Amino acid sequence: MRDGVERDRGAWALLFVLSGNMLLDALEVSAVLPALTPLSAGFAISTLDAQWVMSGFALGFALLLVPGPHLAARLGRKRLYLGAMLLFAVASVVAGLTDSLGVLVATRVVKGFCAALTAPAGLAIIVSVFDGAARRRAVSVYSLFGAAGFTSGLLLSGVLSGADWHWTFLFPAPVALVLFAAGLRVVPPAPATPPPPLDATVLRDGSLLRAGFGAAVLNGTYIGLMLLVTTQLAHLAPWQLALALLPASLPLVLAAPHGARLVRRFGTARLIAAGALCSLAGNALHLARPTAQPYATTVLPVLLLVEAGFVLAFVALNLQATATVPAERRAAAVPVYQAAVQLGSVVSLPLVALLLAAGGPRAAMVLVTSVAAVGAAVALTGLRAATTGRVPT
């Protein structure tokens, strides 16, 4: 009995450390938003050009996700995790001290590489260590850390960017060092073993493909909208911008602990479809009136609707991604899913910036809303498949 309790404690301690990676990754994305305007002024570039600081992290993340398991097989999981955390901390220090835009973007790509080495392992370990109801609770915790990271990044950056944008890129360093120290204690040493093959069993899994596409659309349209709204509210001080964007992140923090309960009651397919429709409604509303004044009747309802999409679908997407993948293939499936998530941002951010510069907010919102509509259509096909019993609900 005591051994079982100790194993449970160890599993949940490991969960919290691995979820810390999710917090750090989300923090890296959101912290840039309040810093974009002061950063643009510091480098004498447009806010839209500064989006490459955001894109760099997503690009590095997406590029190394799929080959990451092969590096883990060569070096060993624990060694790779600890090395990535140290490199992440070093890159954060360099980013906080540099006055070169090229170096800043390069550090963001490096940090994306590091996140790609730790994040898939985290989710793969979670879905392999926990089963049934415990897995749903564990994924809810994992999702909660991500939501908390996005919100924390907004608030901290809102305060720090008002003093000096350099601090925004420096403060993730101590977080990475704390995760490194915790990882020394709780991440179990594992021998270097060949990764599971990325074969047709994984690549033809309909549930995984729909979840990956749905997450890519949800994330890509969300971050594209955040960039657009940030440019529209560029007249605000960083702390004011952080507060203005808070409705697009705080509700998920409050709802994530209940994600497992929602999935148990409604099933993943219904929640994903409802989330995609909420996201579409929010983006369509901003397309109909692509202005930021007055905030309470323009931007606020848009942010709340889009965030409702995350509240409904975020945990469900993480669970659906591996719902029908054989247990021995999940470690190969998770990087595919997370690569899709990051590719949403990689594609969305430059295109939204280009359309904003060329045609203004309405042109950018035509793209974002169109992509959201496709995502909603795919989510509805998943719902139809679930009601006919072809995929789990």
Side-chain angles (χ1 to χ4, degrees):
M1 176 69 72
R2 183 174 179 178
D3 288 343
V5 172
E6 292 298 325
R7 282 195 297 271
D8 288 343
R9 288 177 178 172
W12 285 97
L14 179 62
L15 168 65
F16 280 102
V17 171
L18 296 175
S19 297
N21 292 325
M22 186 71 167
L23 182 147
L24 191 61
D25 298 343
L27 182 151
E28 277 293 318
V29 175
S30 64
V32 178
L33 291 169
L36 277 181
T37 299
L39 183 152
S40 302
F43 287 116
I45 59 175
S46 71
T47 304
L48 300 181
D49 289 334
Q51 64 84 22
W52 289 108
V53 178
M54 297 179 66
S55 299
F57 181 78
L59 179 62
F61 204 135
L63 288 176
L64 209 59
L65 269 170
V66 174
H70 295 275
L71 290 175
R74 182 181 296 272
L75 300 175
R77 187 174 63 198
K78 183 169 185 174
R79 184 184 302 175
L80 189 68
Y81 172 88
L82 295 175
M85 283 294 101
L86 279 181
L87 182 57
F88 195 104
V90 171
S92 296
V93 171
V94 173
L97 298 178
T98 188
D99 284 314
S100 166
L101 180 61
V103 171
L104 179 60
V105 173
T107 62
R108 298 280 295 169
V109 175
V110 169
K111 288 200 279 187
F113 286 159
C114 295
L117 296 176
T118 55
L123 188 54
I125 292 170
I126 288 168
V127 299
S128 62
V129 169
F130 297 91
D131 289 312
R135 180 188 295 169
R136 289 192 291 268
R137 289 195 299 270
V139 174
S140 292
V141 171
Y142 185 78
S143 303
L144 171 62
F145 272 65
F150 198 96
T151 300
S152 300
L154 280 177
L155 295 176
L156 285 170
S157 179
V159 173
L160 296 174
S161 297
D164 189 331
W165 64 262
H166 290 82
W167 288 106
T168 297
F169 297 94
L170 185 62
F171 78 78
V175 180
L177 291 176
V178 169
L179 289 174
F180 170 80
L184 280 173
R185 294 176 59 88
V186 305
V187 176
T193 56
L198 184 60
D199 57 15
T201 304
V202 174
L203 296 177
R204 293 177 183 173
D205 187 279
S207 184
L208 169 64
L209 295 178
R210 276 191 295 271
F213 184 79
V217 170
L218 193 67
N219 190 51
T221 54
Y222 176 86
I223 203 65
L225 178 67
M226 292 300 101
L227 176 64
L228 187 151
V229 171
T230 297
T231 63
Q232 291 180 312
L233 299 177
H235 59 282
L236 298 178
W239 68 268
Q240 292 174 316
L241 176 61
L243 292 178
L245 296 179
L246 208 55
S249 65
L250 186 58
L252 184 57
V253 179
L254 302 176
H258 308 289
R261 190 181 309 163
L262 286 173
V263 170
R264 187 168 60 251
R265 181 172 181 179
F266 298 106
T268 57
R270 292 184 184 90
L271 291 173
I272 291 168
L277 290 173
C278 282
S279 176
L280 173 60
N283 287 303
L285 181 60
H286 204 49
L287 172 61
R289 192 182 178 189
T291 180
Q293 298 296 333
Y295 171 84
T297 58
T298 56
V299 173
L300 180 59
V302 169
L303 297 183
L304 289 174
L305 276 169
V306 171
E307 179 66 356
F310 268 86
V311 167
L312 292 167
F314 189 49
V315 174
L317 284 166
N318 283 326
L319 286 169
Q320 184 179 296
T322 57
T324 58
V325 178
E328 66 275 11
R329 293 289 187 268
R330 285 174 185 159
V334 169
V336 174
Y337 170 72
Q338 293 191 330
V341 175
Q342 296 303 321
L343 283 172
S345 293
V346 172
V347 174
S348 174
L349 284 169
L351 287 177
V352 168
L354 178 64
L355 290 172
L356 273 171
R362 189 176 296 278
M365 285 310 303
V366 167
L367 171 68
V368 172
T369 307
S370 299
V371 173
V374 174
V378 172
L380 290 173
T381 66
L383 178 60
R384 189 178 307 116
T387 56
T388 58
R390 293 198 301 272
V391 298
T393 58

